[in-house]
Amino acid sequence: MTIPSTATRSDESTRVRMPFFKTPFNGYSVKFSPFYENRLAVATSQNFGILGNGRLHVLELSPSSQTSISELRFFDTADCIYDCTWSEDNDNLLAAAIADGSVKVFDLALPPSANPIRSLHEHSREIHSVDWNPVRRDSFLSASWDDTVKLWTVDRPASLRTFKEHAYCVYAAIWNPRHADVFASASGDRTLRVWDIREPAATIVIPAHDFEILSCDWNKYDDAVIATASVDKSIRVWDVRSFRAPVSVLNGHSMAVRKVKFSPHRESLIASCSYDMSVCLWDYRVEDALIGRNDHHTEFAVGVDMSVLVEGLLASTGWDELVYVWQHGTDPRAP
Amino acid sequence: MANFHKIESYPWSSDEEFQSGLSAILGPDHSTSQTTTQSDDLAVRARCFYYARKYDEQVDFDEYKAWRASQPAYALTPLLAAATPAVSSPSISHTTTHRPEATADVEAQAEPPKASFAEIMELIESGKPVPGIRTIPDTVLTGQGTEAKQVRRQKPWEQKATAGTVGITSMTAGSA
C-alpha cells in the first residue's frame, strides 16, 4: 500500500506544523500510554468496522519537537478492533477488543510474528470496550454486544467472572480510578450500572438516558461522580450517591456522543467526541459548560483520550482514518 | 484567497443541495462512465462553484486541486465518494448497532479504491464477498510475555489525593 506512515499537515496561514497520522483503516479508539509521555495506541477497523481486518498501531510523538508522529509498531488481526487498553502493570502489554468476541493481548517487546501472546475468546459477539484496572493492575474488563461484561487476568485462560444483567449491548465497562473492585458499565439498555466485584449483583442501576448509552467515565478526583454519553446527543454527569437527577447535562453535540472522558488532571474537565465529527471540551461545573470545540475530523470522531502524563495533551481518531495529537487550547490543525 | 482547510471541512456530504447538484452533474452511472480522475475533477469544480456562491469567496479550481494533491490525507482520497447520495440525516433513532450511515467525503483511497459505507452494507446484504480482506491466521504464541521495563507512574489524582475518599466504597461494599 502507498499510505505514508507519517505525515504533517500544514496550515496555509501559518508556518507551524501539527502532527497527524494516517491510518489505512477507520479509527475507533486512541489511548495514551500510562508509562511513556510520547506513546499512544490506536485501534482501527477496515470497512468502517462492519467487516474486515483490524490493525493496532503504536505511535510515538517525536520527543524533541512533537512535530511528527511515527509508527513504533503495528499488529494485524483477522477481525476489526474496536478498542484497546494499556496494561497498568507492564509497559509493553496492550489488550485489544476484537469484533470476533475475543480479547487479544499484545507484547510490544516481541516482534509482530510472536504476537498476540493471548487470545481470550468467550464473548459470543463483538467486544466494544476493554479497560485495564488502574488500581489493582492485574486485571481488565471487556464489554460486549453479547450483553455481558467479563473480568480477566493475563495469566488465566478463562475469565474470572461474567457480569450479566444488562438487557442489551454493553458499550463500555470502566474501572473506578480509586477503588480496585468497583467499575461502571454503560449499555444500549439505557442504564448505567455500578458494580463491586465482591458483590453478587450490580449495586447501583441508573436509568441514565432515554436512548442508548455509548460511553461512561469516572471523575478522577471525586470517586462517586461519573459521566455518561448517549445517542440522545447529551452527556450527563451523575453522583452515584444521589442519582435521582444528573448533576449536570451537557448539550452541544448535534449527533450521538460516542465517547466521554474525564481529565486525569483537572477535576471538572471532560472531553467528548461525536458522530457530529467534533471533539468537545467541557467544564461540567460552570454554566456555559462547553469550553472548546475542535472540528478537525472530516468523519465521525470515534476515539478521544487525554494524556495521564502530560497535562493538556489530547488525541483523537475517527472514520476519516486520521489520528491527531494536540495541546489543549491549540487547534489540532493549526496551533 | 479562500482557506482550503475551511473548504475541506465544510460538511459536503450532509449538504443535500450540494449532493443533489453533484449527482446531477456526475449522472446516475458516474462510477462506470467516467474515470475516478474525471469524477474527482468534476467534484472539485462543483465544490469551488458551490462554495464561492455560498460564501462569496472565490475559489480557484487549479489552486484548490493542487492544494488537495499536496495534502497526503486528501491526495490519497478521491472525491468520488462525495457523489454518494446523501444519506438519511442521523437521528437519535438510528440503529441498535449505532453504526450510522456514512456521511464522509473521505471514504476511498488511491488503490485499491475503498468502498463507501453504503456499498459495503450492500455487498453484505446481498451476500457478496467484500474485497480487500486479508486472511490472518488466528494463531496465538502463548510463550512467556516479557517483563516490564518501566516502573509504574503515579497517577495525577494519586499525587493530589487526600486520605479518606468516602463515597463509593461505603455505597457499594455494604449495600447488598
Side-chain angles (χ1 to χ4, degrees), chain A residues 141-309:
Chain A
L141 295 166
S142 59
S144 166
W145 292 5
D146 69 8
D147 308 354
T148 72
V149 176
K150 285 175 184 282
L151 173 67
W152 309 85
T153 59
V154 176
D155 47 15
R156 288 189 195 216
S159 63
L160 301 176
R161 191 172 157 190
T162 300
F163 302 86
K164 188 170 175 52
E165 264 184 45
H166 281 296
Y168 198 64
C169 302
V170 190
Y171 294 122
I174 306 290
W175 291 106
N176 187 284
R178 289 178 193 273
H179 300 287
D181 298 307
V182 176
F183 73 90
S185 57
S187 167
D189 72 6
R190 304 175 300 203
T191 65
L192 176 83
R193 279 164 203 263
V194 179
W195 309 76
D196 185 316
I197 60 172
R198 296 164 296 188
E199 301 290 330
T203 49
I204 299 167
V205 181
I206 305 177
H209 293 264
D210 292 331
F211 292 86
E212 289 194 83
I213 308 171
L214 303 182
S215 177
C216 64
D217 194 35
W218 293 95
N219 188 308
K220 305 299 181 280
Y221 294 88
D222 185 337
D223 61 354
V225 170
I226 190 164
T228 52
S230 170
V231 166
D232 73 9
K233 310 173 194 172
S234 79
I235 296 160
R236 293 181 180 177
V237 182
W238 303 89
D239 187 322
V240 299
R241 293 165 297 201
S242 112
F243 52 85
R244 200 173 292 271
V247 174
S248 180
V249 178
L250 310 177
N251 290 310
H253 280 299
S254 57
M255 287 176 66
V257 186
R258 185 53 190 268
K259 290 239 171 70
V260 64
K261 201 97 190 175
F262 264 107
S263 166
H265 300 274
R266 277 178 54 193
E267 190 272 333
S268 57
L269 183 66
I270 290 174
S272 63
C273 61
S274 161
Y275 289 141
D276 71 8
M277 307 190 218
S278 73
V279 174
C280 286
L281 288 159
W282 315 80
D283 184 334
Y284 80 91
R285 291 200 183 275
V286 303
E287 195 172 336
D288 293 322
L290 181 61
I291 55 172
R293 179 195 291 273
N294 294 293
D295 289 307
H296 49 288
H297 284 290
T298 56
E299 241 293 4
F300 300 142
V302 182
V304 67
D305 196 23
M306 286 187 270
S307 169
V308 72
L309 298 176

Side-chain angles (χ1 to χ4, degrees), chain B residues 47-161:
Chain B
R47 282 188 176 192
C48 294
F49 171 76
Y50 189 81
Y51 195 91
R53 201 189 49 177
K54 182 157 185 162
Y55 293 106
D56 196 29
E57 250 187 280
Q58 285 310 308
V59 184
D60 184 270
F61 166 75
D62 292 315
E63 282 180 19
Y64 180 44
K65 193 184 161 192
W67 176 84
R68 286 193 102 251
S70 71
Q71 302 292 306
Y74 299 138
L76 287 172
T77 53
L79 271 168
L80 189 59
T84 309
V87 289
S88 59
S89 61
S91 71
I92 52 177
S93 62
H94 69 63
T95 61
T96 52
T97 56
H98 69 86
R99 283 169 171 163
E101 307 273 346
T103 60
D105 295 337
V106 188
E107 282 175 355
Q109 268 193 343
E111 46 179 5
K114 287 190 180 176
S116 70
F117 186 95
E119 286 163 345
I120 291 162
M121 290 304 284
E122 199 179 307
L123 286 172
I124 291 169
E125 279 161 13
S126 60
K128 292 181 186 145
V130 178
I133 299 174
R134 288 165 58 211
T135 304
I136 297 170
D138 198 13
T139 40
V140 179
L141 295 133
T142 318
Q144 281 297 90
T146 56
E147 294 296 310
K149 281 187 284 192
Q150 292 274 316
V151 293
R152 180 172 186 265
R153 307 272 297 259
Q154 210 177 25
K155 306 291 183 197
W157 59 91
E158 293 168 344
Q159 295 160 22
K160 294 175 192 170

Side-chain angles (χ1 to χ4, degrees), chain A residues 99-163:
Chain A
D100 68 355
S102 70
V103 178
K104 293 197 178 351
V105 181
F106 296 91
D107 188 334
L108 272 183
L110 298 172
S113 58
N115 273 289
I117 59 162
R118 298 284 185 279
S119 181
L120 307 167
H121 203 161
E122 289 185 15
H123 285 296
S124 59
R125 292 198 60 195
E126 289 86 338
I127 301 178
H128 203 252
S129 120
V130 281
D131 190 45
W132 211 286
N133 189 319
V135 182
R136 190 171 286 131
R137 312 203 292 274
D138 62 344
S139 51
F140 60 87
L141 295 166
S142 59
S144 166
W145 292 5
D146 69 8
D147 308 354
T148 72
V149 176
K150 285 175 184 282
L151 173 67
W152 309 85
T153 59
V154 176
D155 47 15
R156 288 189 195 216
S159 63
L160 301 176
R161 191 172 157 190
T162 300
F163 302 86

Side-chain angles (χ1 to χ4, degrees), chain A residues 90-104:
Chain A
N90 181 333
D91 52 311
N92 289 319
L93 290 191
L94 268 164
I98 316 286
D100 68 355
S102 70
V103 178
K104 293 197 178 351

